[in-house]
Amino acid sequence: MRNINSLTPVFCPRSVAVIGASTVAGKLGHDILYNLIHAGFPGPIYPINPKADQVLGLAAYKQIGDAPSSPDLAVIVIPARAVAGAIEQCGQAGVKGAIVITGGFAEAGEEGEKLQEELAQAARRHNVRVIGPNCQGINNPHHNLCASWPLLTTRGAMAFISQSGTVGAALMDWASQELLGVSVFVSLGNRADIDEADAIQYFNQDPHTKVIALYIEGVKRPVYFLDALAEATKPVVILKAGRTKQGRLAAESHTKSLAGQDAVYDAIFRKYKVHRAETIEELYDFAKGLAYLSKPRGRRLLNITSSGGAAILAIDAAERLGFQLPPPSPVLQAKLREIVPPHCAVGNPVDLTGDVMSDPGLYAKVIDASRVEYDNLVVIFGDPVPGAHQIVTPNAQELVIFLGGAEVERQEVPLIHRRGIPVFPTPERGLGALHQFFRFEPMPTVGPIEPSAIQELSLVPPSEAAALLAKHGIPVAACPLATTADEAVTLAAQFDSPVALKIWSPDLPHKTDVGGVRLNLTTEDEIRSECQDLVKTALTHVPWARIDGVTVSPMAKPGGMEVILGILTDPQYGSTLMFGLGGVFTEIYRDVQFCLLPAADEELWELIRSIKGYPLLAGARGFPPLDQEALLLTMKALARVATSNPQLDQIELNPLLVYERGVFAVDARMYSRVSS
C-alpha cells in the first residue's frame, strides 16, 4: 500500500488553487471556486486565470507559479490537452495534490488514453497525488472543503466514495436533505492515480468517518484493494455495478478497468465482511444504519406502531432476516394494559392505533416499559404524530420508521435526524439496515419442536395415505405399520428387497429431522436393533411425542431424480399444486413453484419447466432425459385426489422419484382437517 500521508494534501489541504477559474457563472471553473469560498474554506484560495485580475473577489494569477505560496491542492478545470502540462507546472511549484475535473481522457477513446497516461507520468515525476480525471471532485464538510458541486456543507459520519460522480452526488444529496450529512464525498473518476484502495485505507483512519460506502464498477489494483479490505476496521458497504454481461461491458467502457466476475466479488465480500448493497437505496440505508444505529444486544424485536399494516410489513421483513418477534411476557402485557386504551393490542406488535395522534405520549410510555424485555424496539410512526422527535432517544436500542405522516412527518423527520437518530421511510428499508449488524453471523436455528396449543390438522396414517394414492393410480411405496420389533421383522419378510423403517407419530411430520428413518436394512437383527433405536432417538428429540410404531417399506430402485409434488389448500383460492426439487434438501434449495388448480396440461408443463432444476429432468450434461410424461400424469392424478377428498388440507410426496421410465413415491404425507 502507498503512504496514506501523501493523501492529506488532497483530502485536507491547507490551501487550494483553481486552475481554470472562470469569471462566467455556470462554468465549472466559476462554480467550483464559488463553492470553495462559500463552504468556508479556511485557507488561501488562488484562482488561476491568465486573462483576469480578479475572480469572485479574489486576486487571480496567470499561472500556478505566480501564487504567493505553493498551494497544497490544485483543482484543474481546463481542456484535456492542457492538463498534463498543468500537472507538470504544479509539480515544479511544489503542489502536492490535484483534482482533475476535466473529461476527455481514457473514457473518450484511444487519444484520451494517451492524454491520461501523459497526465499520470507527469504526476509520478513530481509526486503529485491525483484524483480523476473525469470526476466530480471532493467535498469534505469537516474541513470546509467543497471542491465539487453542488454546494453541501452538512457534516456527518458517512464517507461516500464513488466511481460515478452522479451516483456519489445523489448519495450526498440524500444525506444533506436528511440533515445527516457526510464525512466526505470523493468522486474517483478515471483513477489515474488515487483509487478505491487508497480511499478505503485513508478514511479507515479518518476520525470523522464511521462507515465507508463505495460505488464501484471495477477495481484498478486488485491486490491493494484486498489489502485495504483486510485492514479495514470500520464497516465497508459496497454497491458493485456491472453484474450482468451487458452491465460488465458498460462498466468496462465507463471506467476502463475490468469489471470482474460477479461471483468472485460475492466471494471477496463474504471473506472480508463487506456489506454488499444491491441498489443505491441499500447503499445509502446500510451506510446510514451502520453509522447512526447502535448494534442491538440480540435479535429480539418488539414492534410499537400506530399502523397495523406497517407493523405486518415489519414483521414479514424481520422474520425473513432472522429476527425474533416473541410476544411480551404476561408481566409486561399487564403493565401495557395499564398504559394503553382497552382497544389497543398488546402483543407483538403493540398497536396504539390512531389514538397516538391526540396522545403521542403513549409511545414514550410503551417504549420505557418495554426496553428491559427486548433487544431492540421497532418504533413505527404510521400517522401524523406531532412531537415524534421528542419521543425517541439518541443512542438507544430503537429503530425509527416514519411513514404516512404527511406534513407532520416532513417536519418531524429532520428534527429526529438533528438528534443523530436515523429515520427510515419503510419497515423493509429500516430492518434491512438493522440486519447489517447481524449479516455475518449465522442465522438463528429453529428452536425445539413444541406441542401445538391447537391441533387444527391431523396427520393421516401412512398406510391410509398410500392406499388413497394407489387408488388414484400413483405408484407409491407400501408402508404397513409395525408396533413391535417382531412385527417389523414379519412385515419385512413380505418384500424381496432391503427395507426402510420410518417412525410413525402424529406429532412428527418431519421424520428425518428427529432421526426417524433407517434405510437399506436386510437382516432380522438389523431390523430389530434399528426398530428400538428409532423410537429411542425420536423421543430424545421430542420427549412428548406419541409414538404409534414404525412403518416398513421396500427400498425403491436406485437412479431416480428426487422431486417434491404436493397440494396446498388456500382458504380463499382452494387447491394449489406444488412442484420442485425434492428430498431432504427441499427447504434448503427452495426450488419450488406453484400452480392454481384446476389446471390445463399446458399449465402443468409450464410448471414442470419453471423450476431451476428442470435441465436435470430434461437430460443435462449427458444424462438421459427422465419420464416427464409420467410426471405429468402423476400431477393430474394428485389433483384428482385433492378434488375427491375435500377434507385433505395438504398432500406431499417427497421424494417422488422420476426415472427414465415411470415415477415412484417413496414417502407420502397428508394432513386432514378431520381427525383420523
Side-chain angles (χ1 to χ4, degrees):
M1 300 291 283
R2 294 178 282 199
N3 180 8
I4 63 167
N5 292 330
S6 66
L7 301 179
T8 298
V10 178
F11 296 126
C12 299
R14 293 166 299 181
S15 52
V16 182
V18 179
I19 300 176
S22 173
T23 58
V24 180
K27 287 194 171 183
L28 283 176
H30 176 279
D31 293 353
I32 290 175
L33 180 62
Y34 178 93
N35 290 347
L36 280 167
I37 295 168
H38 288 83
F41 182 72
I45 302 173
Y46 304 125
I48 307 300
N49 183 324
K51 299 179 181 178
D53 295 326
Q54 282 192 343
V55 182
L56 289 173
L58 297 177
Y61 303 92
K62 296 188 182 302
Q63 56 187 6
I64 191 74
D66 295 340
S69 63
S70 177
D72 279 347
L73 176 68
V75 184
I76 300 176
V77 198
I78 58 177
R81 291 187 175 278
V83 169
I87 294 287
E88 192 80 38
Q89 292 177 12
C90 284
Q92 293 169 355
V95 176
K96 299 178 178 66
I99 300 172
V100 181
I101 303 294
T102 309
F105 290 89
E107 83 284 358
E110 186 176 345
E111 184 62 29
E113 288 181 10
K114 292 179 181 178
L115 293 175
Q116 184 164 311
E117 180 56 30
E118 291 173 7
L119 176 163
Q121 287 179 5
R124 285 194 293 269
R125 277 195 300 272
H126 297 283
N127 294 316
V128 177
R129 301 307 306 270
V130 176
I131 289 280
N134 183 36
C135 75
Q136 201 163 321
I138 293 171
N139 189 337
N140 185 345
H142 289 281
H143 196 65
N144 293 56
L145 172 73
C146 184
S148 180
W149 68 94
L151 173 60
L152 300 172
T153 59
T154 309
R155 296 177 176 182
M158 301 177 285
F160 288 123
I161 317 298
S162 181
Q163 290 177 10
S164 161
T166 298
V167 171
L171 294 164
M172 185 172 60
D173 189 32
W174 292 346
S176 181
Q177 286 178 8
E178 294 199 322
L179 303 182
L180 290 173
V182 299
S183 63
V184 74
F185 159 62
V186 180
S187 171
L188 294 171
N190 291 6
R191 300 165 295 157
D193 175 29
I194 297 170
D195 62 10
E196 52 284 335
D198 293 315
I200 293 170
Q201 188 186 29
Y202 185 86
F203 290 104
N204 187 52
Q205 298 188 22
D206 174 46
H208 304 295
T209 296
K210 290 184 178 179
V211 60
I212 304 166
L214 299 97
Y215 168 82
I216 64 173
E217 296 166 4
V219 168
K220 182 182 173 187
R221 299 178 300 149
V223 172
Y224 293 98
F225 178 65
L226 297 183
D227 287 344
L229 294 180
E231 293 171 6
T233 55
K234 296 176 180 178
V236 177
V237 186
I238 294 181
L239 173 58
K240 168 66 176 69
R243 304 187 68 168
T244 64
K245 182 179 179 181
Q246 288 296 105
R248 283 197 300 274
L249 292 174
E252 289 169 5
S253 174
H254 185 209
T255 63
K256 295 302 175 184
S257 64
L258 291 176
Q261 294 292 327
D262 196 60
V264 174
Y265 277 100
D266 261 340
I268 290 168
F269 296 158
R270 281 195 305 271
K271 178 180 177 69
Y272 295 104
K273 293 182 170 52
V274 171
H275 300 261
R276 182 167 199 174
E278 302 288 332
T279 64
I280 301 177
E281 277 186 347
E282 280 194 352
L283 180 61
Y284 181 71
D285 289 345
F286 294 175
K288 176 175 162 181
L290 290 165
Y292 293 103
L293 288 173
S294 300
K295 180 176 180 177
R297 297 181 298 269
R299 296 174 183 259
R300 291 165 54 88
L301 306 182
L302 175 67
N303 291 283
I304 304 170
T305 184
S306 66
S307 164
I312 294 167
L313 291 172
I315 290 167
D316 283 344
E319 190 169 339
R320 281 195 303 270
L321 295 169
F323 289 105
Q324 297 157 4
L325 300 150
S329 69
V331 172
L332 178 55
Q333 286 191 18
K335 190 180 294 185
L336 294 175
R337 277 274 166 239
E338 296 174 358
I339 296 172
V340 303
H343 59 272
C344 293
V346 292
N348 196 347
V350 177
D351 190 350
L352 303 177
T353 73
D355 288 6
V356 292
M357 288 188 284
S358 58
D359 187 7
L362 285 173
Y363 269 111
K365 293 174 184 177
V366 172
I367 289 169
D368 289 341
S370 305
R371 286 191 198 281
V372 67
E373 275 196 18
Y374 290 90
D375 300 316
N376 212 86
L377 305 178
V378 182
V379 182
I380 303 174
F381 297 118
D383 289 285
V385 180
H389 70 282
Q390 296 174 322
I391 293 169
V392 290
T393 306
N395 303 314
Q397 299 295 338
E398 298 169 3
L399 173 66
V400 181
I401 295 158
F402 212 140
L403 70 167
E407 189 59 37
V408 171
E409 177 183 343
R410 286 185 280 276
Q411 293 169 2
E412 289 291 331
V413 168
L415 297 175
I416 299 173
H417 280 148
R418 278 201 180 105
R419 302 184 69 199
I421 304 169
V423 183
F424 295 88
T426 67
E428 297 87 346
R429 289 178 64 178
L431 284 153
L434 187 67
H435 171 64
Q436 297 312 302
F437 290 106
F438 301 98
R439 181 169 187 153
F440 305 110
E441 297 179 10
M443 285 284 281
T445 56
V446 177
I449 303 170
E450 296 293 343
S452 174
I454 302 175
Q455 294 290 344
E456 296 179 349
L457 301 174
S458 61
L459 268 175
V460 176
S463 56
E464 292 182 26
L468 188 56
L469 294 171
K471 177 182 174 182
H472 286 81
I474 297 175
V476 59
C479 50
L481 180 68
T483 58
T484 67
D486 287 340
E487 287 183 15
V489 170
T490 301
L491 291 172
Q494 300 175 10
F495 305 115
D496 295 330
S497 63
V499 297
L501 300 184
K502 302 175 186 178
I503 199 75
W504 162 238
S505 165
D507 302 315
L508 302 175
H510 298 284
K511 298 178 284 290
T512 303
D513 293 350
V514 296
V517 178
R518 300 290 188 274
L519 304 176
N520 285 308
L521 306 179
T522 57
T523 69
E524 291 186 8
D525 289 343
E526 282 182 322
I527 294 169
R528 290 182 194 279
S529 173
E530 295 297 343
C531 239
Q532 296 170 356
D533 190 60
L534 269 178
V535 175
K536 181 179 178 182
T537 302
L539 289 174
T540 299
H541 283 84
V542 189
W544 50 265
R546 297 164 291 170
I547 308 295
D548 291 348
V550 299
T551 61
V552 184
S553 301
M555 291 295 298
K557 68 177 182 179
M561 175 181 167
E562 294 186 346
V563 300
I564 183 172
L565 187 63
I567 298 285
L568 298 178
T569 304
D570 185 272
Q572 291 182 296
Y573 300 107
S575 296
T576 303
L577 188 67
M578 169 184 65
F579 171 68
L581 289 183
V584 296
F585 301 120
T586 298
E587 294 181 7
I588 297 175
Y589 292 139
R590 296 188 179 275
D591 185 11
V592 177
Q593 298 293 331
F594 297 86
C595 175
L596 195 66
L597 295 176
D601 285 7
E602 293 79 7
E603 293 176 271
L604 298 179
W605 279 120
E606 184 178 346
L607 178 64
I608 291 171
R609 297 183 184 115
S610 66
I611 66 170
K612 295 177 184 176
Y614 173 71
L616 300 174
L617 282 168
R621 297 282 182 172
F623 286 94
L626 303 179
D627 196 341
Q628 296 178 53
E629 288 285 350
L631 178 58
L632 179 74
L633 292 174
T634 305
M635 287 180 167
K636 296 167 72 172
L638 195 62
R640 290 195 298 271
V641 173
T643 302
S644 58
N645 295 274
Q647 79 280 8
L648 295 178
D649 186 84
Q650 299 172 35
I651 307 172
E652 184 179 298
L653 311 184
N654 185 26
L656 174 71
L657 295 175
V658 185
Y659 297 101
E660 291 181 51
R661 294 192 61 182
V663 298
F664 186 73
V666 174
D667 196 70
R669 183 164 64 236
M670 292 183 182
Y671 289 93
S672 174
R673 289 181 291 275
V674 179
S675 297
S676 299

